[in-house]
Amino acid sequence: MSYQISTFFSHCDKLELDWRNNVPSLKSDPFLSVSPILRSVSPNCPYFKVMPEPFLGDPDHCSIVMINLNPGYTIGDEIVLSSTYSSVVCYKGYSEYAKPFPHLDARPHHVAGAKWWNQRKAYLDNLVTLYNGPLTASDKDRKPFAIELCPWHSHNWGEAKVRITGSIYNYVEQWTLAPALYAINHSLVDFAVVIGAAAIPVLEKNGFQLMKSFGPSKDIKGKPYARLKDNKSFPNYPQTEKKRDNVVIGLSDAEVFYKYYKKGELKVLSIFKTGSNNTPGIEYAEKGIEGEILQYIKKH
């Protein structure tokens, strides 16, 4: 039986409406129930005052699927994405608001979110081009479909202090991975992208198998990356300065890693940088590294 994306939309609509009305059942939400930070409304952590964003983009017509840990937070989000704002823009339901990807509007309401997402879109569009070749005129208008493992905002994932439990894995399986697979089947490529290392345990616990690792051959101390299974390294890998007491003492391969996972039909390329949640620089495409990785995914 084919997946019914309408079920996902109904779930997201109810989540936003329940939050707006602060219904008691939210106490049993798998993330809010284990994280005091996420449900806090204190001045220092006003995350629960920010509209949950389980997804952005149209799963029926997208360029590529991106799986995120959770929406970020910038100062003032509790105002920009307040319940008052959501009551206006989500009057037809959260899904109708989110499908056009409002953060990528020409005149976005959420300026900080627009800046972040435009940078991500540029990177994702380049991956699609590397995978498929130049886009057609009609395909250039497609936007990504971004879906969150956790729909609640926080400044960073570590701060959320979410202890991954069975109920969360079940939630991810039903409300992240299933709709992600649906969206992949309606996107321009046959894989999803995950940015950030923290999502890897979630993928592995949900049965994803590591197919291939790509990255540096040695760590900053010059030792082989034993933790990378079946690692493919590149002789022209970008390098970073190696410092000691703020003095440059040499160069080492940049700690940017690509891991290709697969579970049934679902392909996922996990990309992460040590100590960062940013996308790799353009040099990884210019040196042909990302192109070679994507061709491997296409054949496997």
Side-chain angles (χ1 to χ4, degrees):
M1 184 176 179
S2 61
Y3 181 76
Q4 299 296 314
I5 195 66
S6 59
T7 304
F8 172 69
F9 291 151
S10 295
H11 163 77
C12 296
D13 293 348
K14 184 178 185 301
L15 178 70
E16 184 278 329
L17 190 59
D18 285 352
W19 163 78
R20 199 193 319 163
N21 295 327
N22 196 15
V23 301
S25 61
L26 282 178
K27 294 180 180 179
S28 61
D29 177 274
F31 297 99
L32 298 180
S33 62
V34 300
S35 174
I37 296 294
L38 292 180
R39 63 176 182 265
S40 172
V41 293
S42 72
N44 293 329
C45 297
Y47 300 144
F48 190 70
K49 292 183 178 180
V50 184
M51 178 175 67
E53 294 185 292
F55 79 95
L56 292 166
D58 187 352
D60 286 300
H61 187 76
C62 54
S63 57
I64 189 172
V65 176
M66 182 173 179
I67 302 174
N68 294 317
L69 286 167
N70 71 316
Y73 171 84
T74 54
I75 295 175
D77 279 359
E78 68 274 20
I79 299 172
V80 178
L81 297 176
S82 66
S83 58
T84 301
Y85 171 74
S86 71
S87 68
V88 175
V89 299
C90 299
Y91 72 99
K92 290 185 178 180
Y94 175 84
S95 299
E96 290 302 307
Y97 156 78
K99 281 190 282 187
F101 216 127
H103 297 331
L104 295 176
D105 285 349
R107 298 180 66 182
H109 172 74
H110 193 307
V111 177
K115 180 180 179 180
W116 193 89
W117 273 112
N118 273 290
Q119 292 173 339
R120 285 290 163 100
K121 183 179 183 297
Y123 179 78
L124 295 172
D125 286 350
N126 192 54
L127 289 184
V128 174
T129 301
L130 287 173
Y131 200 70
N132 287 343
L135 299 178
T136 65
S138 61
D139 285 341
K140 286 182 179 179
D141 293 332
R142 293 196 184 209
K143 297 175 182 177
F145 174 70
I147 188 166
E148 309 289 339
L149 294 176
C150 167
W152 304 99
H153 289 251
S154 68
H155 181 67
N156 58 61
W157 181 249
E159 184 186 41
K161 299 187 185 326
V162 172
R163 185 173 61 87
I164 303 298
T165 62
S167 61
I168 290 179
Y169 284 121
N170 293 337
Y171 180 98
V172 169
E173 186 76 35
Q174 183 175 9
W175 301 121
T176 302
L177 299 182
L181 177 57
Y182 175 92
I184 288 173
N185 291 330
H186 295 80
S187 73
L188 297 177
V189 296
D190 62 350
F191 66 96
V193 172
V194 175
I195 305 294
I200 288 178
V202 178
L203 294 174
E204 292 178 342
K205 182 69 175 180
N206 273 280
F208 281 80
Q209 298 296 315
L210 178 62
M211 305 298 291
K212 188 77 173 177
S213 292
F214 305 86
S217 58
K218 297 179 180 179
D219 64 19
I220 199 167
K221 296 180 180 179
K223 297 181 180 180
Y225 271 106
R227 64 189 176 98
L228 289 183
K229 177 184 177 183
D230 193 20
N231 183 49
K232 160 69 177 177
S233 58
F234 301 86
N236 61 336
Y237 213 68
Q239 295 187 315
T240 57
E241 293 179 342
K242 183 178 180 181
K243 295 182 179 181
R244 182 178 297 153
D245 298 327
N246 291 323
V247 176
V248 177
I249 60 174
L251 297 173
S252 63
D253 285 354
E255 293 191 318
V256 176
F257 306 92
Y258 301 80
K259 286 190 172 187
Y260 170 41
Y261 286 89
K262 195 171 182 181
K263 178 184 179 183
E265 301 176 66
L266 186 52
K267 297 180 178 182
V268 173
L269 175 61
S270 169
I271 306 171
F272 64 96
K273 300 171 66 175
T274 299
S276 170
N277 196 35
N278 296 325
T279 55
I282 190 62
E283 63 269 23
Y284 292 87
E286 293 176 339
K287 290 175 176 287
I289 292 168
E290 289 184 337
E292 184 173 332
I293 293 170
L294 293 174
Q295 288 306 306
Y296 181 91
I297 293 175
K298 182 178 288 189
K299 295 176 182 178
H300 299 83

